[in-house]
Amino acid sequence: MEEHGYLRRVREHTESGRLVTRTYAHHAPVTAAAVTPLRVAERPQVRRRAVERQPEAQRDVQAAPEEGDQAPPRQTPPVEAPPPEPKGPRAPRHDRAAALLAGLRRADDRLILSRRDVDRLTPAVTAWLDNGVSAVMIQHALTDNLPIELRNPARLIGYRLDALLPVALPPRPVPSPTPADGRRDRPLPLQTCDGCERAFRAAHPGRCRDCRSVDVPAPPQVA
């Protein structure tokens, strides 16, 4: 565009005496004859006496830089926003898990967790509770055999929650259905043998197995 006359760069002197390069864009091409290679702005005439009367502090003041010569503003790093609060009511296990993490420092003063750490580790503790582990067992798993030098308690707790997560308990066996008469499998009642008068288990009165095998006659009934 610069070769065809649509873009033109001109070196000019500013009022402060600095030499700058300015770029001009044109809708129509401009011939080379119309381009002025160098333009010098007129400097304001300052009286010598006025300069001598200025205090020393004002002489040391440097001219303000031009708008195009100023350095770009420094970009500040974005501030990390806090984690959003969960919407809706929390589950009871979520509150139990958060209370368990916050109370670990009762077992060891070094296990101090921030609010951000508690919110990040609460789902892992909830997974332990869902697998049937009690709060006492979780506390022992997180506080037993701690290293002597503990620099990052949140990282250690997160590692133990992930590496030591127990498997879920298998489902309990389904109890056998109750018979229609409401009675379960019970031993047969004791009966007295009509032949030898020994006790044996049977559903109905009669003779025992031995008496039935030898066909012993039953004793006469006393009126």
Side-chain angles (χ1 to χ4, degrees), residues 64-71:
E66 296 293 332
E67 182 178 357
D69 299 334
Q70 295 181 359

Side-chain angles (χ1 to χ4, degrees), residues 74-85:
R74 180 180 299 178
Q75 298 181 357
T76 57
V79 180
E80 187 177 356
E85 294 292 336

Side-chain angles (χ1 to χ4, degrees), residues 120-132:
R120 179 174 57 87
L121 298 174
T122 295
V125 179
T126 306
W128 281 59
L129 296 175
D130 293 339
N131 288 354

Side-chain angles (χ1 to χ4, degrees), residues 75-99:
Q75 298 181 357
T76 57
V79 180
E80 187 177 356
E85 294 292 336
K87 297 181 179 179
R90 293 182 176 180
R93 292 198 175 187
H94 184 280
D95 295 337
R96 287 180 57 193

Side-chain angles (χ1 to χ4, degrees), residues 83 98 101-102 105 110-122 152-155 157:
L101 290 171
R105 57 184 176 181
R110 298 174 297 173
L111 298 179
I112 298 178
L113 302 178
S114 63
R115 180 182 296 274
R116 186 183 300 274
D117 294 334
V118 171
D119 294 340
R120 179 174 57 87
L121 298 174
T122 295
N152 194 334
R155 181 178 299 178
I157 293 174

Side-chain angles (χ1 to χ4, degrees), residues 169-175:
L169 291 175
R172 295 182 178 180
V174 181

Side-chain angles (χ1 to χ4, degrees), residues 152-165:
N152 194 334
R155 181 178 299 178
L156 175 64
I157 293 174
Y159 171 78
R160 289 193 173 187
L161 288 174
D162 185 27
L164 304 179
L165 177 65

